Amino acid sequence: MMPNLYFPISAFFVSILMLVNFFYKGRIKNKETDLYKILILSGFVEVISAMIVIISAYLYGDCFAVYLFNKLDFICLLIWAWAFFLYIFHVSFQDKKRIYSKFDLILKITSIFNVIILLLITFLPLYNSGESEVMFAYG
């Protein structure tokens, strides 16, 4: 059995429940719901890529598919963390009119940082290691 799959499988079912709940019911179209949609979609893609990485690593070892899906996993984590920061920034303020000017500035600044980090994730090497049923990536 693959013990590294317990949490991703649980997270997969939680993500499915969140996706169904979010897209099934009606919602107001605003920045808050757009950011939340990015959060749950990037979380869902991250869980799927993590499961593919684990299964591929157990079945095929350190192959190119594991490398690609591991990069996708890190990119999804970056997008999730960015959307979570913007979501928390957006919902933390009561005066929404005043925050929109700050929100746009914060969005531009964090976009520049995230593009740089995305390029680093894409072009820098990544190594996978598996020791005694513990798998991790470094690089």
Side-chain angles (χ1 to χ4, degrees):
M1 189 67 184
M2 298 179 220
N4 292 328
L5 272 177
Y6 295 148
F7 283 122
I9 288 173
S10 301
F12 175 75
F13 289 115
V14 171
S15 294
I16 293 285
L17 288 172
M18 291 174 68
L19 283 168
V20 168
N21 186 34
F22 182 77
F23 287 109
Y24 180 72
K25 66 177 190 165
R27 63 199 160 278
I28 299 170
K29 180 81 170 142
N30 59 19
K31 285 187 183 186
E32 187 177 330
T33 56
D34 289 342
L35 290 170
Y36 188 75
K37 182 179 7 173
I38 294 170
L39 277 171
I40 61 174
L41 288 174
S42 64
F44 182 70
V45 173
E46 192 277 327
V47 165
I48 297 225
S49 65
M51 288 173 33
I52 291 172
V53 165
I54 293 168
I55 291 169
S56 298
Y58 271 110
L59 295 178
Y60 308 112
D62 195 17
C63 64
F64 189 66
V66 171
Y67 180 78
L68 285 179
F69 280 104
N70 225 344
K71 292 237 180 207
L72 176 66
D73 189 37
F74 284 132
I75 290 169
C76 288
L77 286 172
L78 174 69
I79 292 170
W80 187 89
W82 183 36
F84 186 66
F85 168 75
L86 293 174
Y87 181 80
I88 294 299
F89 183 81
H90 186 269
V91 300
S92 295
F93 294 96
Q94 294 294 326
D95 187 9
K96 297 298 182 195
K97 290 180 183 178
R98 201 176 105 214
I99 194 169
Y100 284 133
S101 63
K102 291 180 182 180
F103 186 82
D104 291 336
L105 177 65
I106 294 293
L107 182 64
K108 289 176 187 175
I109 292 170
T110 57
S111 296
I112 292 168
F113 283 122
N114 282 322
V115 167
I116 293 169
I117 294 170
L118 180 75
L119 290 172
L120 290 173
I121 289 171
T122 304
F123 293 113
L124 290 178
L126 181 68
Y127 306 102
N128 295 312
S129 179
E131 301 169 4
S132 68
E133 296 183 354
V134 175
M135 293 174 25
F136 57 93
Y138 62 94

